[in-house]
């Protein structure tokens, strides 16, 4: 159990299920049917996130409300689209007076010249709770019922599913560990399964967590933002099963993408940074100071170890807007860079063999990385083409791990994505050699 929660009147009485889906035509019908069997569920929304199969058609045939992204936009975007569609349906219901509307009870006084009573627009209808389910859960989706009970009956604001071990899972633990430690540093609460994407939450909690972190970082950001806003968050055991991510190249790339997005979600919350010993994610002196509260140390007359942050406009030579970023820096991101030598950072970033500019949040993360070591690692890789920025961030997160071993039967050169996957795989093997075991095996809990 975490924060005290919001126990005021107006708790939700019904639930809308949102199912992000991509190429799940074989399982989506069973998942929808199971979701409808959960008490208090009266709406099922499927967001087809750029499927190339019959996912949309099957979902409509199962009587779900379906909306489709023309191209894949990622899990966070699909969740946001589904929640927005629920809100639109609720707005229409309010304008219609709701299911309990009776004209003789909800009418304005007769006005001369009108033919009859007028319905009152804007009935007070409590918003649905939102239950997010994975599309590939099939009939096991009915096992999410305890989440609904926790929110509707027990006063929980965000209930997160604790899943049993999944058959065939080949988890690495590194992504889970990064998310878990980041959440603990930000909130003081340590979840068992921080990447669990199956969760039920009130609309107030959902709105407090906007905007969502992108991609696979959404679960991490939801948990941190809900707790920071004072909502009650709990993990609830649920008998749920989905298709596990394997250990092949596709599975490795999936986990690499998860790690990238979790790092981005944590970097945007600058008072917390992932602390992943032995994987290149250790905090430097300045980062530790920021996490502990440098202002307090300086007020107390202690040696803070780094100079006080300066306003961005006082920085010499290079402004954050000069850095090779693909978009504008937010004020928070700019402040996070004020204690760095921006001219040196600019030179180091531009020396990396990258295909294009970096996202602002990636630059914030890379500012605390040994960029010269990253440049040498990228240039030594058996890759001929420039690296995508995403792949470079993945390699940066594992600089402390051994140089990847290239299997003898692997055709060279590798593409940047294949090399990034090998970097992650090598880091995992090194971690397992140190511990003698894979201590998690659950890092694909956030799978769509």
């Amino acid at each position: 159990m975490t924060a005290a929660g919001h126990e005021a009147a107006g708790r939700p009485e019904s639930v809308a299920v949102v199912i992000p889906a991509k190429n799940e035509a074989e399982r989506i019908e069973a998942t929808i049917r199971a979701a409808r069997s959960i008490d208090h569920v009266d709406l099922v929304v499927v967001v087809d996130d750029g499927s190339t199969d019959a996912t949309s058609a099957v979902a409509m045939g199962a009587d779900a409300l379906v909306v489709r992204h023309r191209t894949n936009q990622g899990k966070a975007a699909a969740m946001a689209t589904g929640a927005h569609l629920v809100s639109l349906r609720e707005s229409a219901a309010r304008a219609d007076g709701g299911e309990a509307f009776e004209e003789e009870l909800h009418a304005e006084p007769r006005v001369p010249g009108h033919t009859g009573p007028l319905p009152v627009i804007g009935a007070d209808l409590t918003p649905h709770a939102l239950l997010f389910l994975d599309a590939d859960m099939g009939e096991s989706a009915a096992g999410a019922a305890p989440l609904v009970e926790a929110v509707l009956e027990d006063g929980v604001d965000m209930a997160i599913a604790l899943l049993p071990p999944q058959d065939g899972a080949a988890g690495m633990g590194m992504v889970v560990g990064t998310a878990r430690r980041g959440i603990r540093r930000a909130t003081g609460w340590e979840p068992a399964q921080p990447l669990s994407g199956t969760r039920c939450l009130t609309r107030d909690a959902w709105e407090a967590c906007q905007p969502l972190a992108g991609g696979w970082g959404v679960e991490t950001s939801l948990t941190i933002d809900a707790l920071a806003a004072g909502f009650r968050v709990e993990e609830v055991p649920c008998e749920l099963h989905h298709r596990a991510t394997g250990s092949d190249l596709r599975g490795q790339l999936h986990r690499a993408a998860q790690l990238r997005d979790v790092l981005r979600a944590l970097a945007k919350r600058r008072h917390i940074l992932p602390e992943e010993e032995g994987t290149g994610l250790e905090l430097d002196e300045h980062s530790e100071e920021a996490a502990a509260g440098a202002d307090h140390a300086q007020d107390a007359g202690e040696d803070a170890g780094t100079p006080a942050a300066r306003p961005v406009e006082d920085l010499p030579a290079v402004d954050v807007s000069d850095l090779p970023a693909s978009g504008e820096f937010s004020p928070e991101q700019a402040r996070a860079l004020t204690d760095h030598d921006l001219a040196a950072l600019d030179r180091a970033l531009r020396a990396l063999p990258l295909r294009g500019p970096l996202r602002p949040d990636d630059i914030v993360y890379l500012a605390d990385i040994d960029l010269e070591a990253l440049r040498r690692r990228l240039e030594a890789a058996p890759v001929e083409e420039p690296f995508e920025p995403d792949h470079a961030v993945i390699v940066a997160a594992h600089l402390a791990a051994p140089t990847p071993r290239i299997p003898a039967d692997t055709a060279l050169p590798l593409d940047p994505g294949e090399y990034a996957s090998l970097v992650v795989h090598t880091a995992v093997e090194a971690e397992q050699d140190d511990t003698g075991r894979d201590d998690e095996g659950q890092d694909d809990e956030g799978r769509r």
Side-chain angles (χ1 to χ4, degrees), residues 276-434:
E276 183 73 76
E277 292 187 3
T279 63
L281 304 182
E282 297 86 348
L283 300 181
D284 62 15
E285 182 180 358
H286 167 58
S287 301
E288 286 282 7
E289 172 217 356
D295 292 342
H296 175 74
Q298 292 176 1
D299 289 344
E302 299 171 6
D303 181 10
T306 58
R310 295 167 290 168
V312 174
E313 58 268 21
D314 293 343
L315 292 171
V318 175
D319 187 86
V320 291
S321 61
D322 297 322
L323 297 174
S326 60
E328 294 183 1
F329 287 85
S330 70
E332 293 78 11
Q333 291 166 335
R335 282 194 293 271
L337 294 172
T338 54
D339 286 328
H340 292 274
D341 182 339
L342 294 187
L345 177 61
D346 182 63
R347 289 193 299 270
L349 291 173
R350 293 181 186 278
L352 298 175
L354 302 182
R355 184 179 297 278
L358 293 143
R359 298 187 187 208
D361 50 351
D362 287 341
I363 290 178
V364 170
Y365 171 68
L366 290 174
D368 293 320
I369 296 294
D370 184 344
L371 293 178
E372 176 59 23
L374 175 61
R375 181 189 64 79
R376 292 195 300 267
R377 176 67 63 89
L378 296 179
E379 290 181 347
V383 174
E384 290 185 350
E385 56 189 294
F387 281 80
E388 297 289 344
D390 286 353
H391 297 141
V393 172
I394 291 169
V395 176
H398 299 87
L399 278 179
T403 301
R405 297 184 298 273
I406 310 299
D409 58 350
T410 301
L412 298 178
L414 301 175
D415 68 45
E418 290 173 330
Y419 182 76
S421 173
L422 284 173
V423 166
V424 175
H425 185 69
T426 300
V428 172
E429 286 186 334
E431 184 177 87
Q432 291 176 349
D433 288 343
D434 289 340

Side-chain angles (χ1 to χ4, degrees), residues 14-55:
S14 56
V15 178
V17 174
V18 177
I19 307 175
K22 181 185 178 185
N23 294 335
E24 293 291 352
E26 293 184 4
R27 298 193 181 200
I28 191 66
E29 182 176 6
T31 302
I32 294 169
R33 185 171 58 247
R36 288 194 179 280
S37 72
I38 299 173
D39 288 344
H40 305 289
V41 169
D42 61 11
L43 176 63
V44 177
V45 175
V46 172
V47 182
D48 182 344
D49 192 25
S51 293
T52 55
D53 65 2
T55 294

Side-chain angles (χ1 to χ4, degrees), residues 24-272:
E24 293 291 352
E26 293 184 4
R27 298 193 181 200
I28 191 66
E29 182 176 6
T31 302
I32 294 169
R33 185 171 58 247
R36 288 194 179 280
S37 72
I38 299 173
D39 288 344
H40 305 289
V41 169
D42 61 11
L43 176 63
V44 177
V45 175
V46 172
V47 182
D48 182 344
D49 192 25
S51 293
T52 55
D53 65 2
T55 294
S56 288
V58 174
M60 286 188 285
D63 203 25
L65 183 62
V66 179
V67 61
R68 186 172 185 273
H69 291 164
R70 288 181 179 272
T71 59
N72 180 258
Q73 297 183 29
K75 183 176 185 180
M79 292 172 67
T81 295
H84 183 62
L85 190 56
V86 172
S87 181
L88 291 177
R89 287 293 295 263
E90 290 171 343
S91 297
R94 290 188 185 94
D96 209 22
E99 294 182 0
F101 175 76
E102 297 180 16
E103 188 172 290
E104 63 272 17
L105 298 178
H106 300 272
E108 297 175 351
R110 290 179 180 271
V111 178
H114 287 186
T115 58
L118 301 175
V120 176
I121 305 299
D124 185 15
L125 300 178
T126 304
H128 289 75
L130 298 173
L131 172 60
F132 293 96
L133 294 177
D134 292 341
D136 60 357
M137 286 181 166
E139 294 182 359
S140 81
L147 302 179
V148 172
E149 181 180 349
V151 172
L152 269 58
E153 301 178 16
D154 299 337
V156 177
D157 298 306
M158 180 184 293
I160 304 171
L162 274 175
L163 278 64
Q166 304 293 296
D167 292 340
M172 301 182 298
M174 188 175 298
V175 188
V176 166
T178 300
R180 180 183 293 135
R181 282 184 282 273
I183 293 170
R184 183 187 65 217
R185 290 175 60 83
T187 68
W189 181 60
E190 184 172 304
Q193 293 183 6
L195 301 182
S196 177
T198 303
R199 52 185 72 196
C200 185
L201 62 162
T202 65
R203 192 63 57 79
D204 285 345
W206 171 258
E207 295 298 337
C209 297
Q210 304 306 307
L212 300 175
W216 302 108
V218 63
E219 290 87 11
T220 301
S221 73
L222 279 171
T223 302
I224 292 174
D225 292 342
L227 289 170
F231 289 94
R232 180 179 169 189
V233 179
E234 291 188 6
E235 292 184 304
V236 179
C238 294
E239 194 63 31
L240 295 165
H241 299 275
H242 58 69
R243 184 172 52 250
T245 301
S247 58
D248 57 4
L249 177 59
R250 182 177 179 182
Q252 297 287 355
L253 289 174
H254 169 73
R255 294 188 184 89
Q258 279 187 305
L259 178 61
R260 174 202 64 201
D261 291 345
V262 167
L263 289 171
R264 284 176 175 164
L266 294 174
K268 286 184 177 180
R269 289 145 185 83
R270 195 57 182 169
H271 58 293
I272 47 92

